[in-house]
Amino acid sequence: MITAITNSNWPKSSAQYEGFRPLSGDALFVQTNHEKWHMQRKRLAPAFQPQIIDAQYGCFAKHLTRCVEYLDIAARDKSVVDFASLHVLLTLDFIGDIAYGVDFRALTPGSVCRISQLFDIVLPELMKCGLFPLRARFPILQKTKEMHRAVAELRLMAEKAVENARHTADVSYENPKKRSNKIFEILAK
C-alpha cells in the first residue's frame, strides 16, 4: 500500500500554491501542471546521478562542519537556534557552492548574509500569502510589498549568480547544448 501511495501522481491544487507564487514562480516544487513538472524534473535528473552525488560529499562535509560550528557558538552563547532556519541556511550554502560556485555565507553568524536577511523578510509573509493567496496577488499591506521587493532582489541575485557561474565555467553562449547540463543552467530555467 505504501508503494502505491508513494508512486502515485497526486494532483496539486493550484489554489494551494497560488500564494507561494511570488517566491517560487513556476518552479519544480510548486508546479501544478504535471507535464511541465515532469519536464522540469527530467532536466534536474543529471544532477542526481550517483557519481555527481559522490563528488559532492566533500562540499557537503565542509558546510555541515560550518553548521556544527554555528551550533557550537550558539551553545557557548546559550542562545536559541531555530533548526528550520538553520536547515534553510545550510541548504543555501550547499546549493550556492554546488550549483553556482558561490559562498553565500548563510551559516556565518550575524547579519553577514544578505540572502538570509531577505529570507527573514520573505518567509513569514509568504506563509500568510500561502493561506491567503489574494494577499500576494494584490499587495496592499506594507509587509507584503516588502516581501515582493525582497523576492525581486533574490531573483536578481540568482540571475547574477548564474551569470557568474557561466563566466567562471567559461561556457559558450553560442552553444546552448554545451551548457544545458550544468546545474546552474538547470536551476535557471
Side-chain angles (χ1 to χ4, degrees):
M1 175 148 163
I2 293 174
T3 303
I5 292 171
T6 58
N7 290 330
S8 296
N9 288 322
W10 297 93
K12 298 175 185 174
S13 164
S14 58
Q16 183 180 6
Y17 292 107
E18 191 59 37
F20 298 110
R21 194 167 300 284
L23 180 63
S24 65
D26 223 6
L28 172 70
F29 304 110
V30 292
Q31 186 53 253
T32 56
N33 177 320
H34 180 74
E35 289 77 29
K36 191 168 185 178
W37 171 84
H38 187 71
M39 181 185 67
Q40 289 173 325
R41 189 168 178 252
K42 282 181 77 171
R43 281 190 191 143
L44 274 175
F48 294 96
Q49 297 300 315
Q51 67 274 19
I52 302 291
I53 300 296
D54 288 347
Q56 295 172 354
Y57 283 131
C59 180
F60 185 68
K62 174 180 79 172
H63 293 293
L64 198 54
T65 300
R66 280 175 147 176
C67 186
V68 170
E69 290 168 355
Y70 185 96
L71 290 170
D72 285 344
I73 291 170
R76 183 193 68 217
D77 296 344
K78 295 183 175 35
S79 60
V80 176
V81 173
D82 176 355
F83 276 89
S85 295
L86 187 62
H87 184 260
V88 169
L89 300 177
L90 173 62
T91 304
L92 283 171
D93 275 350
F94 179 66
I95 289 176
D97 199 345
I98 290 297
Y100 303 106
V102 175
D103 186 355
F104 289 138
R105 300 184 159 282
L107 283 167
T108 304
S111 57
V112 177
C113 179
R114 180 63 181 152
I115 293 173
S116 180
Q117 293 168 357
L118 292 171
F119 271 103
D120 284 344
I121 294 168
V122 170
L123 293 178
E125 188 62 20
L126 190 66
M127 298 316 276
K128 294 171 189 167
C129 292
L131 293 172
F132 308 104
L134 289 178
R135 184 177 182 139
R137 189 174 290 167
F138 303 106
I140 298 169
L141 301 171
Q142 185 62 32
K143 290 282 186 188
T144 311
K145 291 177 184 178
E146 289 171 8
M147 178 195 73
H148 280 284
R149 283 192 294 271
V151 167
E153 187 176 341
L154 282 167
R155 290 186 190 282
L156 184 61
M157 291 170 85
E159 289 172 17
K160 286 180 182 178
V162 169
E163 294 289 321
N164 291 339
R166 285 178 179 154
H167 180 71
T168 302
D170 196 28
V171 176
S172 169
Y173 285 103
E174 293 82 35
N175 188 353
K177 293 233 184 249
K178 184 178 176 186
R179 57 184 172 136
S180 65
N181 63 350
K182 302 288 185 192
I183 295 174
F184 59 83
E185 291 295 347
I186 296 167
L187 292 173
K189 293 179 182 179

